[in-house]
Every structure is written in C-alpha cells, then in structure tokens.
Amino acid sequence: MKNTIDKKTNLFIVLAGIFLTNALLAELIGFKIFSLESSLGFNPAQINLLGDWVLDFNLTAGVVLWPVVFITTDIINEYFGKQGVKKISYLTVIFIAFAFIVLVVVTKLEPAQFWLDINSTDAQGRDFDISYAFNKVLLQGSYIIIGSLVAFLVGQLLDVYVFHKLRKITGNKHLWIRATGSTLVSQLVDSFVVLFIAFYLLAPADGQWTVAQVISVGIINYIYKFVIALVLTPLLYIAHYLIDNYLGKEKSEELIEEAADSSESFF
C-alpha cells in the first residue's frame, strides 16, 4: 500500500514540476518576439487580416514552452481530475507572481560601480549600460503579467471543464479527443484574453493596440496553438503508456476512474 501511495505522490510531484517550470519559463521569456517563418527558413507570410493590418507569424517565445504546459495539463486532468489541475494552476499563478515581484525588487538595487565599469563597452567597443540592459530585459514582460495570469487561469479552468465534459461522451477511450478538444477550446479564449488585457485594456496610450490588431494577432497565435496541439497529440499516448507502466495497469485505471468521479460536479 505504501509503495502505491508513493508512486501516486511521486507522479504528481513530477508532473507538477514539469508544469511549474515550463509555465514560469514561458512567462520569463515571453517578451521576446521571434519570426517563425525566418526561423524555419521561409519568407514572411504577409497575411492580410481585418483591413490593412498585415501579419506574419511573429510569435512570443513563450509559445515554444506552452505546448508542454498543455500536455501536462491534460495528463494531470486524466489522472488527478479537476482538483489536481486547479491546485497546480493556483500554485503556478502564485509562484509566477512571486517571481515577478522578485524581479522588480532586484532591479531596484543599486548596481556596484566595478560591475558597471567592467561591462561599460560591448564586443564592438561601443558604450554599453549593463544595468539598463539588465532591467530592460527582466522587466520587459512585467506590464503584461496581469493579462497573462488572468488568461492562464481562465484557460486552465476552461480546459479542465471541457476535458471532463468530453470524457462523459468518450468514456476512458479516445484520449486524443478530450485532450485536443479541451486544449483547442481553452486556448481560443486564452489567445485573445491575454492580448486584450495586456495590449488594449491596460496598455499605455502610446502603446495601445486597436481592437483589430488584438483580433488579428490573436488569430495568428491561435492558428499556431491549434497546429501544435494536433502535432503533439502522440506525446499524450507516450506519456499515458509510461505512466501506466510506472503505476501498474490496475492502479492506473483506478486513478483515472477516481479522477473522472471527482469531476462530476465542476462548480
């Protein structure tokens, strides 16, 4: 009995660690915008959306890691139910908020003069202010943190709700339907909520996007997430296989049934 409990606990710790690490890193690197086309060696897409607003697949670096969060969410959903997902989601919001508070505090510390002096020029010999660069990089994403955390929580709660609604239809079969379906629905909301709050509702006047821009960029982000959700579906089955072998088939099925039963009344 002790070994069974230990395995269940260890599984949740590992999944929680993967979830928290990738969610936090995605937030920290999210301010960098990269060109998906150029990274893959293609020309910009130049997609015309909503009038004269032309978009390429310029994406936040955070999307590189968010698919791992999506997959981990679905696995936690499958084995630990809504309570497991809600617990790790709330903890993640707290830890991300704490991380950004720490970043704000450390950027307020007065830099040592010798540190400024030895880093006063770049590789080309040009003047360089490392303290400014340090603060600029670390605080770049802080103004979108509210929108990001709200979108994250809404997306996670919606994901677990849709996942278990689909489970009532599929039973314990067709994992890909409930996993992919819940991700596609939750990320449709997430893609637009974060942009609307961060770049329209709370953005400074000189940096505020139009509604058309919010919708256009949201569509581009969702297209990417839609494709990635489909492409990564096989990883769910690999994870399922590994977990079943780790827990044992009987215990694995018991855990899945408990997760399903605990989600009968979501609200």
Side-chain angles (χ1 to χ4, degrees):
M1 181 66 180
K2 183 178 183 296
N3 289 336
T4 300
I5 295 175
D6 287 345
K7 284 189 174 183
K8 177 182 177 181
T9 302
N10 288 339
L11 175 61
F12 187 77
I13 290 174
V14 170
L15 292 175
I18 294 172
F19 186 99
L20 281 166
T21 300
N22 283 277
L24 179 57
L25 284 174
E27 292 288 352
L28 293 176
I29 67 175
F31 65 87
K32 178 174 182 177
I33 306 298
F34 73 97
S35 169
L36 180 62
E37 302 101 324
S38 297
S39 297
L40 296 176
F42 299 116
N43 293 323
Q46 293 289 287
I47 300 173
N48 288 293
L49 291 174
L50 302 176
D52 297 329
W53 185 242
V54 180
L55 282 181
D56 302 319
F57 277 86
N58 296 323
L59 303 166
T60 169
V63 300
V64 175
L65 294 176
W66 278 120
V68 180
V69 178
F70 303 158
I71 291 175
T72 311
T73 297
D74 291 328
I75 296 172
I76 294 174
N77 241 335
E78 182 78 352
Y79 290 93
F80 296 95
K82 70 180 181 69
Q83 293 302 327
V85 176
K86 289 171 68 176
K87 181 183 297 183
I88 193 61
S89 296
Y90 292 144
L91 282 174
T92 299
V93 168
I94 293 172
F95 291 155
I96 289 175
F98 172 74
F100 274 91
I101 290 173
V102 171
L103 292 181
V104 171
V105 171
V106 298
T107 57
K108 300 299 182 182
L109 299 176
E110 191 66 25
Q113 189 58 48
F114 85 90
W115 183 61
L116 296 176
D117 292 340
I118 63 176
N119 294 288
S120 60
T121 58
D122 62 15
Q124 287 72 42
R126 295 170 298 194
D127 289 340
F128 181 71
D129 186 343
I130 192 170
S131 182
Y132 172 80
F134 180 87
N135 294 346
K136 185 69 173 178
V137 169
L138 290 184
L139 294 181
Q140 186 73 26
S142 61
Y143 74 97
I144 68 171
I145 186 65
I146 295 177
S148 182
L149 291 182
V150 171
F152 169 76
L153 257 187
V154 171
Q156 286 298 109
L157 296 178
L158 183 59
D159 186 287
V160 70
Y161 176 75
V162 175
F163 186 94
H164 290 286
K165 283 295 184 182
L166 291 174
R167 170 175 262 164
K168 290 183 177 180
I169 299 174
T170 63
N172 289 335
K173 298 180 179 179
H174 307 301
L175 171 62
W176 70 273
I177 293 180
R178 54 185 180 274
T180 305
S182 61
T183 297
L184 295 182
V185 173
S186 64
Q187 291 313 302
L188 177 62
V189 174
D190 179 273
S191 296
F192 291 96
V193 169
V194 63
L195 294 174
F196 180 78
I197 294 177
F199 297 105
Y200 181 79
L201 191 62
L202 299 181
D206 58 348
Q208 188 180 50
W209 292 8
T210 65
V211 173
Q213 288 172 328
V214 170
I215 294 175
S216 298
V217 175
I219 291 173
I220 291 295
N221 279 307
Y222 184 67
I223 291 174
Y224 171 84
K225 292 175 182 178
F226 184 97
V227 173
I228 291 298
L230 295 178
V231 170
L232 295 183
T233 298
L235 292 181
L236 283 169
Y237 286 91
I238 294 175
H240 205 295
Y241 172 79
L242 294 174
I243 292 172
D244 287 352
N245 282 341
Y246 174 68
L247 294 175
K249 191 66 176 177
E250 182 178 342
K251 182 58 184 177
S252 176
E253 291 178 353
E254 179 184 329
L255 205 58
I256 292 173
E257 287 298 329
E258 289 177 0
D261 293 340
S262 68
S263 302
E264 286 300 315
S265 56
F266 183 77
F267 296 107

